[in-house]
Amino acid sequence: MTYNYKSSFLQKLSTRGFLYQCTHDQEMDNLFAEGPQKLYIGFDATADSLHVGSLLPLMVLRWAHLCGHEVILLLGGGTTLVGDPSGKEETRTILTKEIICTYTKGIKESVGKLLPMQDDRVRVLNNADWLASLNYLDFLRDIGSLFSVNKMLALESVKTRLDRAQNLSFLEFNYMLCQAYDFFVLSDQQGCMIQGGGSDQWGNIVSGVDLIRRKSGKQAYGLTFPLIETRDGVKMGKTAGGAVWLHPEKKSAYDYWQYWRNVDDREIERFLLLFTCLDEETISDIVKGDPNKAKIRLADEATRLLRGEEVLGAIHETVAALSQEKAPYTVTTTPEGFPVVNTDLPLYKVNRSFLEQDSLLMNLLIEAGAIESKSAVRRLIRDGALSLDGEKIQDELYQISLKDLIDPFVIHIKIGKKKNLLLQVLP
RNA sequence: GGGGGGAUAGCCAAGUGGUCAACGGCAGCAGACUGUAAAUCUGCCCGCGAUUGCGUUCGUAGGUUCGAAUCCUACUCCCCCCA
């Protein structure tokens, strides 16, 4: 459905493919066109970092901020204790308060440079601040009385669980009330009348809108975004190496860049629109050209948005070095005379004394922690997937000795076509 | 409450006393081809080890047997039908 929005914000979202559902298309548009509004999106603390699956809502917040609106990033410190049953076929594992607390911290950090946290139009709140201290009976009377179980049972998220006779605990059943209450609190205390979320959040959002109307007679609004699946129908962000985390400590800038560099050709345009801030014309130009260049651009832009301009130089140097079969690292020396390897690739270290006793390559790799078992190394060598400094290893019992190593004692190991790592022999 | 069916590796799904670490398919990994894409073809794919070895798997716990994913008993969970 294409609709011409008056507000620059919704128009942006619409043309870029962010919109899935809206509670009140036109009214919301009028609101955004009138002047600065407040928009909130919540993120539950189910892991110590967000991953690319959450990038889409984060980008919405970014656009809202760019369009002059105020954004609230709500950390689900309270709601995570309950566990959202939406979109889940099984009961979520119940996390302890302590874990959730450290997770919320990680989640906040993982947002990185996507939002200017110090800006006064960006706020980070935690719903534990009002949910944790609720009095059960008061809550039941004030909020619970306004909910219809009949209605809740009809909701998609609840229905699928009931239809499958999958256990839905009373705890989880209450998630919706908590999220609705969040919305009410934010509308009441912050004047935030608009909530966004993934399409699986529709039911939760709508019940918040409902609650606000019943409780304060005010009109609130909700909008949802599509869930992005890759061409194979797999939820975005899951790759061989697991989730594509946003937190720098869980995903190096180089790997993050590579994730975007390697997307399916057919996703290029969509991803450029969703995950970069390039304007639409530039994007359509990029898409007309060489897909590899387009993907590099996508990787550059996406990495820049999350991690900042400063990481790009080193990534490009590494990429260039690898393609030209040059050393993908540099070595500097500390004032004390110790060599320091500078690289974007994972660096494993092993003591020289180890090589003096054992010269089997596979043992070296295991000792360094680069590969987990001898079987794994053998498999790779048998498949012809392992190379050392550009030379393919054929022999499962390949020997390596100190004599083979030259000065900085760094070995570039390549596993398959894309995995590169370095192994440094400490003097 | 009564009756029937089911639970197999990451997922789907065969197997119904030894030849079963368990057919297929998907996903994953690797190779070839290419463009660090896709499609296709090939190899690997429980873990460890290694020329035929060891360990752990077929819902859970016991039992029968020289031998069980396969038979028996109990338990747990799921699906369907009737009330």
Side-chain angles (χ1 to χ4, degrees), chain A residues 84-136:
Chain A
D84 186 5
S86 327
K88 273 273 176 179
E89 300 203 333
E90 284 162 28
T91 308
R92 285 176 192 270
T93 39
I94 296 178
L95 302 168
T96 65
K97 288 184 185 173
E98 292 72 37
I99 292 175
I100 292 171
C101 188
T102 61
Y103 281 4
T104 48
K105 222 177 287 166
I107 285 187
K108 193 176 163 188
E109 289 164 6
S110 69
V111 174
K113 308 209 148 92
L114 284 167
L115 294 172
M117 295 293 193
Q118 62 298 331
D119 190 293
D120 57 5
R121 282 189 294 114
V122 176
R123 310 200 54 190
V124 179
L125 300 175
N126 188 333
N127 62 18
D129 291 346
W130 53 83
L131 290 177
S133 57
L134 279 176
N135 174 291
Y136 189 57

Side-chain angles (χ1 to χ4, degrees), chain A residues 230-298:
Chain A
T230 61
R231 293 281 155 172
D232 320 323
V234 183
K235 263 207 197 123
M236 194 179 162
K238 306 279 180 205
T239 63
V244 180
W245 299 108
L246 300 187
H247 198 115
E249 279 163 28
K250 301 197 75 178
K251 190 82 179 168
S252 74
Y254 177 79
D255 285 342
Y256 188 73
W257 191 90
Q258 286 293 342
Y259 171 74
W260 297 105
R261 168 71 247 254
N262 283 306
V263 299
D264 191 316
D265 278 14
R266 293 165 297 184
E267 309 283 12
I268 296 173
E269 184 170 23
R270 186 161 64 135
F271 284 5
L272 280 168
L273 285 166
L274 292 172
F275 303 120
T276 76
C277 284
L278 296 170
D279 63 71
E280 291 92 60
E281 279 169 47
T282 309
I283 290 175
S284 72
D285 285 344
I286 292 173
V287 171
K288 283 180 201 133
D290 174 13
N292 274 321
K293 290 214 175 89
K295 281 192 257 191
I296 290 170
R297 190 68 191 277
L298 170 65

Side-chain angles (χ1 to χ4, degrees), chain A residues 42-46 76 78-95 100 127 155-158 160-161 167-169 171-180 182 195 197-205 207:
Chain A
F43 298 88
D44 269 0
T46 49
T79 35
T80 310
L81 283 165
V82 176
D84 186 5
S86 327
K88 273 273 176 179
E89 300 203 333
E90 284 162 28
T91 308
R92 285 176 192 270
T93 39
I94 296 178
L95 302 168
I100 292 171
N127 62 18
L155 280 165
E156 202 51 41
S157 55
V158 175
T160 49
R161 284 283 286 270
N167 182 56
L168 177 73
S169 69
L171 175 74
E172 294 175 285
F173 189 61
N174 281 273
Y175 186 88
M176 189 183 295
L177 274 79
C178 293
Q179 187 166 333
D182 281 349
Q195 179 183 183
S199 57
D200 57 340
Q201 293 298 306
W202 181 249
N204 293 337
I205 292 173
S207 61

Side-chain angles (χ1 to χ4, degrees), chain A residues 16-170:
Chain A
R16 288 188 162 248
F18 280 99
L19 291 186
Y20 186 73
Q21 280 171 298
C22 262
T23 49
H24 314 263
D25 253 335
Q26 292 199 19
E27 286 177 54
M28 204 192 314
D29 188 30
N30 290 337
L31 213 60
F32 276 120
E34 257 169 41
Q37 299 299 322
K38 293 181 181 177
L39 166 72
Y40 106 82
I41 300 180
F43 298 88
D44 269 0
T46 49
D48 54 1
S49 162
L50 295 172
H51 56 83
V52 281
S54 305
L55 207 50
L56 198 130
L58 287 173
M59 288 301 290
V60 172
L61 288 180
R62 188 184 167 90
W63 279 116
H65 182 262
L66 284 173
C67 292
H69 303 290
E70 193 170 311
V71 300
I72 298 173
L73 190 135
L74 181 67
L75 298 170
T79 35
T80 310
L81 283 165
V82 176
D84 186 5
S86 327
K88 273 273 176 179
E89 300 203 333
E90 284 162 28
T91 308
R92 285 176 192 270
T93 39
I94 296 178
L95 302 168
T96 65
K97 288 184 185 173
E98 292 72 37
I99 292 175
I100 292 171
C101 188
T102 61
Y103 281 4
T104 48
K105 222 177 287 166
I107 285 187
K108 193 176 163 188
E109 289 164 6
S110 69
V111 174
K113 308 209 148 92
L114 284 167
L115 294 172
M117 295 293 193
Q118 62 298 331
D119 190 293
D120 57 5
R121 282 189 294 114
V122 176
R123 310 200 54 190
V124 179
L125 300 175
N126 188 333
N127 62 18
D129 291 346
W130 53 83
L131 290 177
S133 57
L134 279 176
N135 174 291
Y136 189 57
L137 289 178
D138 289 344
F139 183 74
L140 284 182
R141 287 174 65 93
D142 290 352
I143 307 299
S145 58
L146 299 176
F147 275 78
S148 150
V149 172
N150 310 43
K151 251 189 191 172
M152 287 172 74
L153 291 176
L155 280 165
E156 202 51 41
S157 55
V158 175
K159 226 167 47 182
T160 49
R161 284 283 286 270
L162 291 178
D163 286 350
R164 301 191 71 248
Q166 274 291 347
N167 182 56
L168 177 73
S169 69
F170 184 67

